[in-house]
Amino acid sequence: MFDRFERTVRRTLRKLAKQRVRMVLLPGNYWVVERAIEHDDDTRAALLTCQMRGWIEPLLHAVPSWQVTPGGALPPNFNLKKAEPYYRLTSAGWSVIHRSDLVAACALLISAMSLALAVFASVHRP
């Protein structure tokens, strides 16, 4: 019943929502993304699952990508041959993060109960 990969998918979606562009390096228009998600095999599968479900879509295809050191310096084996896409969340992805489906289901349940109570009160009027 509990699927670990589903948890990984939702965690990756939340991490993607926390990314932000900190600065743009010129020349070349390179984005420095703060809180970027790590790209391992599980993350790649989670991103493709999110894309398949319509929660994210590619923003830019195949852009140069590398990770800076904790001190902010470029890594010693720096090259621009590694390319990965940037993704953006769709409105469906934001709904998943904010659990809008649960809120809508609760609202529907409350309104149905209110309707049933109103009908019951009007039928059983003294």
Side-chain angles (χ1 to χ4, degrees), residues 1-123:
M1 183 169 182
F2 177 72
D3 186 12
R4 286 181 175 227
F5 184 67
E6 188 64 32
R7 185 174 179 195
T8 302
V9 168
R10 291 179 186 269
R11 186 180 317 128
T12 302
L13 190 65
R14 285 191 303 271
K15 286 181 181 178
L16 187 67
K18 291 180 181 178
Q19 292 184 134
R20 59 185 177 192
V21 176
R22 185 66 177 170
M23 69 176 79
V24 178
L25 298 178
L26 297 174
N29 197 23
Y30 295 110
W31 293 3
V32 177
V33 178
E34 189 175 44
R35 298 180 184 172
I37 58 177
E38 295 181 17
H39 288 280
D40 56 1
D41 292 337
D42 284 342
T43 304
R44 179 157 169 71
L47 287 171
L48 290 174
T49 301
C50 290
Q51 185 177 3
M52 180 181 63
R53 292 178 180 177
W55 296 347
I56 62 173
E57 63 185 16
L59 182 61
L60 300 171
H61 297 279
V63 292
S65 177
W66 67 92
Q67 224 173 358
V68 295
T69 62
L74 293 175
N77 57 354
F78 173 71
N79 62 13
L80 292 177
K81 294 192 173 43
K82 182 180 174 186
E84 296 174 357
Y86 284 127
Y87 292 98
R88 68 178 285 279
L89 268 75
T90 61
S91 59
W94 285 110
S95 295
V96 169
I97 288 174
H98 296 297
R99 299 181 188 255
S100 298
D101 56 340
L102 180 64
V103 172
C106 289
L108 181 64
L109 180 65
I110 291 170
S111 63
M113 288 173 43
S114 299
L115 177 66
L117 184 63
V119 168
F120 181 77
S122 67
V123 170

